[in-house]
Amino acid sequence: MNVIDEAKRCLQCKNPMCSKGCPVGAPINTAVGKFLAGDIAGAGEALFSNNPLSLVCSMICPRRAQCEGACILNRKGAPVNIGAIEEYISDYYLNIFSPRPSDGSQGKAAVIGSGPAGITIAYILSAKNYSVTIFEGHDRIGGVMRYGIPEFRLPKSILDRLCAALTKAGVKIRPNTAIGANLTVDDLIRDGYQSVFIGTGVWRPNKLGIKGESLGHVHFAIDYLSNPEVYALGKKVAVIGAGNTAMDVARTAIRHGCRDVTLIFNRGPMDITAWAEEAEYAKIDGAKIEYHKSTVGFIDEGLLLADTEILPDGTALAVPGTEKTFPCDSVIVAVGQGPRAVIVSSTKGIEVTGKGLVAVDDCGRTTRPGVFASGDVVTGAKTVAEAVNVSRRVAEAMHDYMQARKPAIKTQSNQ
């Protein structure tokens, strides 16, 4: 595919539906116009200033349901391949991006977690001349983008380039530092951070809570995707679930030598929660799907499955007496994740929802003044673009909070 030819297909609509279909309102018209005029740097700046993760989003967003699905050409034919254009421009721009280092004159902010939300907050605040420190529990930044999205969908080298750009912008990064274990939010505030952002994502895998879940051949999806190379799954693998994560697990297992991979789903084809294109790719890669099957137990030989009955209220129930053994070498449970409570449990004044997610207002303010949150730790698992969109608003709220406190901070420092 020729990216230039695709860009020329853009109608440069006065009312660009593609931008309205994008969760972050990407200025696609502006970028395409500059690109075709020979100003690729300007095109890249337009995309990056709107969304620091434009390159990531161009590769992993569900474009059929967003920008390309909204493209006016999609009504009578094929939409403009916006993802390919954005990827080409954003990849170029990230190579030449040279941010002005923050001078730290506006204050000090802490960012806990370096997933999509944390990276976005760090870029925006550093550009406003805040001294920003990222505290990352893993050894490298990226959060779910690095440890939850397979390499074949998002090359990790892109995240390394983003890390280098953050460093150029003056952002300090503390890897292998889990806030809530040794250091706490109270320690950060004590040490002069005028606001704290929590963007730790959802890293606690949901379990089925049935017999045999602790057996040696049973694994959780988020753990497997973090480092698939260390797992010896065997040739036949069952994946429980039918969301995007389950599809990623199935495709990753196939790429690591598993020859027979089956997704176990307790509902029908129309109920699959994964994006349509992700399910299609999984099938093309060789994954099979068993519909209307409930996992009722883990056994040494594999799984114990039962037929599923869907009640009028939508509840899926295993039908007694229909249990059968599904032999396999390994099982990976991919039924979602929840937040770890270590930060909240070690910090007074931060309320959570009934699901254990951090409770915030529309601007990411938690119930403790000066502490903000967004991303998956607030909403549950969402797309990167959705996390970026909310985090831009949260960054402005943090800026307003710290600016409002500047006189008090100066007075205290002069005492």
Side-chain angles (χ1 to χ4, degrees), residues 10 14 18-19 38 66 91 94 121 212 226 267 269 322 398 413:
C10 177
K14 292 183 179 180
C18 55
S19 292
Q66 296 177 349
D91 183 67
L94 193 56
I121 297 285
S226 295
R267 300 179 184 272
T322 63
M398 293 176 69
S413 64

Side-chain angles (χ1 to χ4, degrees), residues 234-321:
K235 296 299 182 183
K236 187 172 183 179
V237 176
V239 181
I240 302 174
N244 289 321
T245 298
M247 301 302 164
D248 281 344
V249 167
R251 298 178 68 193
T252 300
I254 290 169
R255 281 165 170 75
H256 283 79
C258 301
R259 294 290 172 256
D260 187 343
V261 177
T262 302
L263 292 131
I264 309 297
F265 188 41
N266 62 359
R267 300 179 184 272
M270 300 303 294
D271 298 312
I272 286 179
T273 56
W275 302 330
E277 59 193 86
E278 294 304 317
E280 290 170 6
Y281 275 122
K283 293 176 183 177
I284 288 173
D285 284 353
K288 296 172 289 186
I289 303 180
E290 282 276 346
Y291 295 107
H292 299 292
K293 296 294 182 182
S294 293
T295 303
V296 295
F298 299 94
I299 56 178
D300 290 331
E301 295 77 18
L303 284 174
L304 197 60
L305 300 181
D307 295 339
T308 302
E309 177 186 4
I310 307 298
L311 301 182
D313 65 358
T315 303
L317 288 181
V319 179

Side-chain angles (χ1 to χ4, degrees), residues 91-224:
D91 183 67
Y92 177 94
Y93 185 73
L94 193 56
N95 283 333
I96 65 170
F97 179 55
S98 183
R100 174 183 53 80
S102 166
D103 62 17
S105 60
Q106 297 303 304
K108 185 186 295 186
V111 174
I112 305 173
S114 65
I119 289 177
T120 301
I121 297 285
Y123 269 123
I124 293 174
L125 292 183
S126 64
K128 293 179 181 294
N129 277 324
Y130 287 95
S131 174
V132 180
T133 299
I134 292 177
F135 298 86
E136 171 53 50
H138 291 92
D139 59 339
R140 295 185 180 184
I141 74 160
V144 69
M145 297 182 293
R146 182 180 294 275
Y147 297 103
I149 298 177
E151 174 77 18
F152 60 84
R153 285 187 58 209
L154 180 64
K156 303 303 182 283
S157 59
I158 291 174
L159 303 174
D160 294 335
R161 291 161 64 192
L162 284 168
C163 182
L166 279 169
T167 302
K168 288 180 182 178
V171 175
K172 301 179 182 69
I173 300 173
R174 285 189 62 165
N176 298 315
T177 306
I179 301 299
N182 292 325
L183 294 175
T184 66
V185 170
D186 290 326
D187 291 330
L188 301 181
I189 294 173
R190 176 202 64 195
D191 291 342
Y193 293 96
Q194 287 120 30
S195 68
V196 177
F197 173 76
I198 301 173
T200 47
V202 284
W203 293 96
R204 177 182 52 77
N206 292 338
K207 62 180 183 178
L208 295 177
I210 58 179
K211 186 176 180 180
E213 206 160 9
S214 67
L215 294 179
H217 66 295
V218 181
H219 312 284
F220 292 110
I222 194 66
D223 299 326
Y224 173 68

